[in-house]
Amino acid sequence: MSFFKRLKEKLAGNSEQQEQQDQQVDLLPLDEQVQEENRLIETVEEEDPNSEQIVEKEQEETIEQPAIEENKPVEEEISNQSDTDVVEQPQKESAWSITQKFKAGLEKTRNSFTSKVNDLVARYRKVDEDFFEELEDVLLQADVGFETVMELMDKLRFEVQRQNIKDTNGIQAIISEKLVEIYESGEENLIELNIQQSGDLTVILFVGVNGVGKTTTIGKLAHRLKSEGKSVMLAAGDTFRAGAIEQLQVWGDRVGVEVIAQSEGSDPAAVMYDAIRAAKNRGVDILICDTAGRLQNKVNLMNELEKVHRVISREIPDAPHEVLLALDATTGQNALVQAQMFKEATNVTGIVLTKLDGTAKGGIVLAIRNKLHIPVKFVGLGEKMDDLQPFDAERYVYGLFAEGLEKELKKSEE
């Protein structure tokens, strides 16, 4: 399947039934394919003649939201949350609404990054070495990362030569496709959480420095998992930061899940022990554990994380099943340094990139993936509970090049 067809299906959504019909059509002789495709189009129009108006309405109703700050006072955070958010039952999001979240969440990066690419394309009518050199600078300014940029340039040069491309028309589509290829290179199911089957307890350990949105992200993930029908419990393992336990309890009340906690300053490992016992006794599906983000120094922090890890593994031999590192996208390359530090101390299985909607350097997603080989499993695209979204490379790239890709998609249909 071509990049454009795959992208179009993901943006608007495509049912399994429709995919099976497409596969059946592909097996028919060419003249019969045309007849069958016309029949399917007529059937869709008869069943849902107003589908285009519905899509347009969803697009108009999409609203961008600013990010929540991790260290915002608990009282202020409560006041900003409407009562309906607590009791309102989540509805399954459409493919189009999810795509719009990525588009809105990456607006700052797109306004900075894509405008420069557009300017570059306008100034260079032909693709030459000067064009590639300026494109390198634009990508580096978006924090895509040196290694990723060099790999992308090699792929672009090869593709331009292979297709004998002379001008810059459609170059954004080629850049987009190669960025997706680089991110997904040879790996599958990158965003899937390692949820245990047959009723066994799944333990997810959250790590990260203070101020990156770790506790807020835990609350949003608990909300997402609960909406999927899982029973969830939280463990308040950050016993050192003032107000951390209270903040997690606020999120527990908001989402409607139990929080296991001890007093401020108590042993985090003891909290984990109590939480695991409680989760087992209550038959909980998933236990999400908060941890400290800052002690006296780096050595103390890492030693504490190792101790917590040992206690969890002693109670459940193959746990924690996920170690998710929360990183603040607005810190750019500093997030890469933090990821390297935590990777050395713990077996980080995935990244949760918070506040992606608040930065113009959204290219850090690619830098983290390509340099550390750790998948980005979730991204924060706003302040609402459902604005924590599983990362999707194609939707991410669409968010970077939305306007240009939409024009290319229209051209491909003509």
Side-chain angles (χ1 to χ4, degrees):
M1 184 184 293
S2 70
F3 173 71
F4 274 125
K5 185 175 181 181
R6 190 170 72 246
L7 181 62
K8 182 183 176 182
E9 288 180 355
K10 181 162 284 186
L11 299 189
N14 194 38
S15 67
E16 292 182 7
Q17 181 182 3
Q18 183 64 44
E19 288 179 358
Q20 291 172 0
Q21 290 174 339
D22 288 343
Q23 291 172 0
Q24 291 172 358
V25 170
D26 289 340
L27 296 175
L28 296 173
L30 183 58
D31 57 341
E32 293 183 30
Q33 283 187 32
V34 174
Q35 295 176 7
E36 181 65 14
E37 285 177 353
N38 289 335
R39 186 189 67 78
L40 290 174
I41 291 171
E42 291 173 359
T43 302
V44 171
E45 289 176 348
E46 290 174 1
E47 290 178 351
D48 190 8
N50 297 319
S51 58
E52 291 185 5
Q53 289 92 326
I54 293 172
V55 169
E56 290 174 0
K57 185 177 180 181
E58 282 186 334
Q59 185 174 7
E60 290 173 0
E61 291 177 351
T62 303
I63 301 174
E64 181 187 1
Q65 299 292 338
I68 289 180
E69 296 181 4
E70 168 76 6
N71 292 325
K72 183 183 290 186
V74 175
E75 295 80 3
E76 182 182 345
E77 198 171 330
I78 295 173
S79 65
N80 287 341
Q81 185 76 22
S82 66
D83 294 336
T84 55
D85 286 337
V86 180
V87 298
E88 191 176 82
Q89 293 299 318
Q91 296 181 349
K92 187 175 181 180
E93 295 178 292
S94 68
W96 179 251
S97 66
I98 294 172
T99 300
Q100 289 301 101
K101 284 182 183 292
F102 275 84
K103 181 179 178 180
L106 285 160
E107 183 177 5
K108 287 188 177 180
T109 298
R110 186 171 62 254
N111 289 345
S112 172
F113 171 64
T114 311
S115 62
K116 294 176 182 177
V117 174
N118 290 338
D119 177 65
L120 191 61
V121 170
R123 287 189 291 109
Y124 286 87
R125 291 300 178 185
K126 62 178 182 177
V127 180
D128 56 19
E129 196 56 35
D130 290 338
F131 172 82
F132 282 127
E133 287 181 3
E134 286 205 41
L135 181 60
E136 284 181 18
D137 292 337
V138 171
L139 290 164
L140 288 170
Q141 290 170 22
D143 270 7
V144 173
F146 180 77
E147 292 87 351
T148 310
V149 171
M150 293 302 103
E151 183 178 349
L152 175 62
M153 289 300 105
D154 290 342
K155 287 180 177 292
L156 286 177
R157 287 185 175 95
F158 175 80
E159 197 65 26
V160 165
Q161 184 177 7
R162 186 181 73 84
Q163 296 187 29
N164 194 27
I165 296 173
K166 300 299 183 182
D167 57 49
T168 56
N169 290 330
I171 195 68
Q172 286 190 13
I174 298 175
I175 295 172
S176 302
E177 184 171 8
K178 297 308 169 186
L179 285 174
V180 172
E181 285 180 6
I182 289 173
Y183 188 91
E184 294 181 339
S185 55
E187 298 193 40
E188 298 179 355
N189 299 321
L190 295 177
I191 65 171
E192 296 295 325
L193 291 175
N194 182 23
I195 304 297
Q196 301 304 290
Q197 303 301 320
S198 66
D200 292 336
L201 176 64
T202 299
V203 180
I204 300 175
L205 186 67
F206 259 84
V207 300
V209 302
N210 290 344
V212 297
K214 180 159 47 75
T215 307
T216 298
T217 302
I218 289 172
K220 290 181 178 181
L221 181 59
H223 169 73
R224 167 173 283 276
L225 293 171
K226 189 180 177 186
S227 70
E228 294 172 357
K230 305 291 186 182
S231 56
V232 182
M233 179 181 286
L234 307 181
D238 186 357
T239 61
F240 297 96
R241 179 170 65 89
I245 297 172
E246 182 185 7
Q247 186 181 12
L248 193 67
Q249 288 173 330
V250 167
W251 272 105
D253 293 339
R254 189 178 297 170
V255 177
V257 299
E258 185 178 359
V259 178
I260 302 300
Q262 294 185 11
S263 60
E264 187 175 315
S266 58
D267 185 359
V271 176
M272 301 305 171
Y273 177 83
D274 288 348
I276 290 173
R277 288 301 179 93
K280 286 182 175 179
N281 290 336
R282 293 163 177 72
V284 170
D285 296 322
I286 300 172
L287 173 66
I288 306 178
C289 305
D290 193 9
T291 62
R294 183 179 296 124
L295 294 177
Q296 291 85 347
N297 55 50
K298 175 185 171 182
V299 174
N300 285 350
L301 172 60
M302 297 309 164
N303 287 342
E304 193 63 52
L305 289 176
E306 289 173 5
K307 181 180 177 182
V308 166
H309 199 290
R310 284 197 308 270
V311 169
I312 294 174
S313 299
R314 188 177 65 224
E315 295 302 309
I316 304 176
D318 58 344
H321 304 99
E322 290 279 2
V323 179
L324 300 181
L325 171 61
L327 295 174
D328 183 347
T330 64
T331 61
Q333 288 296 313
N334 189 42
L336 198 61
V337 175
Q338 291 176 27
Q340 185 67 54
M341 179 181 73
F342 278 94
K343 184 182 179 183
E344 292 171 358
T346 62
N347 181 29
V348 177
T349 59
I351 302 291
V352 180
L353 200 60
T354 67
K355 310 176 189 177
L356 191 59
D357 58 313
T359 181
K361 294 181 177 288
I364 192 64
V365 173
L366 293 158
I368 291 170
R369 177 75 186 92
N370 206 41
K371 186 166 184 177
L372 300 180
H373 306 290
I374 303 173
V376 177
K377 297 206 172 188
F378 292 94
V379 289
L381 299 172
E383 69 174 2
K384 291 183 178 180
M385 277 202 190
D386 60 355
D387 283 338
L388 179 71
Q389 289 291 328
F391 180 74
D392 183 289
E394 286 165 344
R395 284 193 171 99
Y396 165 76
V397 169
Y398 167 77
L400 292 179
F401 296 97
E403 288 79 8
L405 285 179
E406 285 168 0
K407 291 178 182 178
E408 294 296 326
L409 283 167
K410 288 179 181 178
K411 286 182 183 179
S412 69
E413 294 172 351
E414 294 174 354

